[in-house]
Amino acid sequence: MDHTSLTRARRRPRGPGLFLFLAGWRDHGSHRRRRVVPVTGRYGDVLERQFWPLTIGILIAALLAGVGVIYLTTPSHTRARTSAPVPIEHFGISDPDLISETAAVQASQLAAMKAIGITSVRFDADWDWVQPKGPGTFNWTQLDQAVSSARAAGMSVDLIIDGCPPWAALAGTTGDPSPQPDSSAQYATWAAEVAARYARKGVRMFEIWNEQNNAIFWQPKPNPAAYTADLVAAYRAIKTVDPSAFVISGGLAPERTNGTNYSAIDFLEAMYADGAKGSFDALGYHPYCYPALPDTYESWSAWSQLDQTSPSIRSVMTSNGDGGKLIWITEFGAPSSGPGGVGTAAEATALTQAIADAKTTAWIGALYVYSWQDEGTDPSNNEDWFGLLRAGGTPKPAYTAVAAAIR
């Protein structure tokens, strides 16, 4: 099966790092896509139309031969479920735009989020924004305002400790929008500054980078050993200033291992090999899966790769002794339009299914929807179309669906 990876166009250096995998073939002229669906499966998938003549022939032949009915099956790919919904404290919004809004707009948006059952918000504590001029200077104004607005709204906050100013970046990355830090110790100092400042404001959740297995977010290219060194150092530094802090490893992007990027599973295996065990309280993961839905098994789907493939994210954790730790889905969504857009109805269905799965899977600790509002209306840029609201502020079907699913 040909798996094609398409990088989403991005307006900003922060945001979801989905690299869209398409199984089967793609008609480049009409943009129609065909998925090969398992013959049977947990979600009641139907047979592909071209399989029916062969299937009927086999069944008739079997009956005539007197050998009974043959069941044409594929592996069930079942996920372990609880019999009742699992209480999840953190249904959140991953909103990279919140920090750039005025205090009044922040208050309005956060109140609207809370009204539909959202309890948490995720945004960047970007090192480059706070210390662009060197280690002795700080400008906390923008970040302070966003944190204060979230806390005033009664929201918990997941701060993504990412970004790297040029003065602290790895040599040779000048001009790169998301360079990796040159020194783990220096990065850990920054992480401790963030934790110490915002612990006083009631922030307890800190996510160590974003999509570090993706070259857009870790330049010049992903490096599991370098990231793990930063994670270990940051974890120790944060726990020193705030022992009650909850540290999440950076949300892994759905990628392919191709010599530059790493698949989430391969990167996680390398993290454990490089000593990551014991340096995160929950594992961050971004199981984007469009155009498939969460409840449709596809081997390339990052949602299926949670625990239905071999290996899977969950099996790697379990084999490394971390079966007791939770996975935090710190981004999930689908674009309603733009390249690879699924339409507003499918966007709503994807979020409904994801929330239902999170509620009934004991080892999923949080789910953050990406994102609150469409960033624009550019038909050539799918990054514009992930919101629960349209760019003009009117609700999409996903807004109502999320409100209903959370409750």
Side-chain angles (χ1 to χ4, degrees), residues 350-377:
L351 290 167
T352 297
Q353 291 184 3
I355 291 169
D357 281 4
K359 281 184 170 182
T360 55
T361 304
W363 40 261
I364 294 178
L367 189 149
Y368 287 74
V369 172
Y370 184 87
S371 181
W372 178 243
Q373 186 166 333
D374 286 352
E375 291 192 332
T377 57

Side-chain angles (χ1 to χ4, degrees), residues 235-288:
Y235 182 86
R236 185 182 303 118
I238 290 170
K239 292 289 188 175
T240 298
V241 300
D242 182 10
S244 68
F246 188 80
V247 179
I248 309 155
S249 62
L252 291 165
E255 251 301 342
R256 281 190 309 175
T257 300
N258 59 11
T260 299
N261 302 309
Y262 284 76
S263 74
I265 292 169
D266 287 348
F267 198 92
L268 181 58
E269 288 179 329
M271 282 172 56
Y272 277 114
D274 290 325
K277 183 176 170 60
S279 290
F280 56 92
D281 299 315
L283 181 83
Y285 185 53
H286 297 171
Y288 291 101

Side-chain angles (χ1 to χ4, degrees), residues 17-379:
L18 175 61
F19 294 80
L20 176 62
F21 296 93
L22 301 178
W25 54 264
R26 179 184 180 191
D27 181 342
H28 291 275
S30 64
H31 302 290
R32 289 176 299 171
R33 297 178 179 85
R34 174 184 174 188
R35 292 187 298 102
V36 177
V37 180
V39 175
T40 62
R42 166 172 181 266
Y43 304 112
D45 295 320
V46 298
L47 292 166
E48 284 269 17
R49 182 170 299 173
Q50 64 268 31
F51 291 156
W52 274 111
L54 176 60
T55 304
I56 292 169
I58 291 172
L59 293 173
I60 291 172
L63 289 169
L64 290 174
V67 297
V69 177
I70 297 173
Y71 291 92
L72 189 60
T73 63
T74 58
S76 63
H77 308 291
T78 56
R79 172 170 296 128
R81 299 274 185 188
T82 59
S83 57
V86 179
I88 294 181
E89 180 183 354
H90 299 287
F91 279 115
I93 294 287
S94 183
D95 189 357
D97 298 316
L98 183 73
I99 195 170
S100 62
E101 303 288 1
T102 66
V105 172
Q106 288 172 355
S108 175
Q109 291 185 347
L110 290 162
M113 293 177 195
K114 192 171 182 182
I116 64 168
I118 297 299
T119 62
S120 189
V121 64
R122 174 183 184 260
F123 52 86
D124 301 88
D126 190 303
W127 190 8
D128 189 31
W129 296 348
V130 177
Q131 285 193 297
K133 297 180 179 179
T137 61
F138 296 86
N139 182 354
W140 296 100
T141 305
Q142 195 176 43
L143 189 54
D144 279 353
Q145 179 58 64
V147 170
S148 294
S149 293
R151 297 300 296 146
M155 297 279 212
S156 65
V157 179
D158 172 13
L159 285 180
I160 315 163
I161 303 179
D162 62 356
C164 184
W167 60 266
L170 185 71
T173 58
T174 302
D176 288 345
S178 192
Q180 63 176 286
D182 183 51
S183 163
S184 294
Q186 219 165 31
Y187 173 73
T189 298
W190 161 244
E193 292 274 6
V194 173
R197 185 175 187 87
Y198 295 113
R200 299 193 298 268
K201 297 180 182 290
V203 177
R204 290 290 180 270
M205 299 180 295
F206 303 97
E207 189 169 349
I208 308 304
W209 215 265
N210 176 69
E211 300 191 348
Q212 60 275 2
N213 60 317
N214 168 345
I216 290 176
F217 293 98
W218 188 277
Q219 293 159 350
K221 68 178 185 177
N223 183 329
Y227 170 74
T228 300
D230 288 356
L231 174 66
V232 170
Y235 182 86
R236 185 182 303 118
I238 290 170
K239 292 289 188 175
T240 298
V241 300
D242 182 10
S244 68
F246 188 80
V247 179
I248 309 155
S249 62
L252 291 165
E255 251 301 342
R256 281 190 309 175
T257 300
N258 59 11
T260 299
N261 302 309
Y262 284 76
S263 74
I265 292 169
D266 287 348
F267 198 92
L268 181 58
E269 288 179 329
M271 282 172 56
Y272 277 114
D274 290 325
K277 183 176 170 60
S279 290
F280 56 92
D281 299 315
L283 181 83
Y285 185 53
H286 297 171
Y288 291 101
C289 60
Y290 67 85
L293 293 168
D295 286 359
T296 300
Y297 174 82
E298 298 282 7
S299 61
W300 52 264
S301 160
W303 196 275
S304 298
Q305 289 171 7
L306 271 163
D307 70 324
Q308 295 174 279
T309 58
S310 183
S312 67
I313 293 293
R314 193 67 188 159
S315 73
V316 172
M317 293 176 69
T318 300
S319 66
N320 283 279
D322 272 347
K325 284 186 178 172
L326 301 179
I327 294 174
W328 275 43
I329 297 171
T330 54
E331 287 183 23
F332 181 78
S336 59
S337 190
V342 299
T344 57
E347 179 191 20
T349 300
L351 290 167
T352 297
Q353 291 184 3
I355 291 169
D357 281 4
K359 281 184 170 182
T360 55
T361 304
W363 40 261
I364 294 178
L367 189 149
Y368 287 74
V369 172
Y370 184 87
S371 181
W372 178 243
Q373 186 166 333
D374 286 352
E375 291 192 332
T377 57
D378 183 352

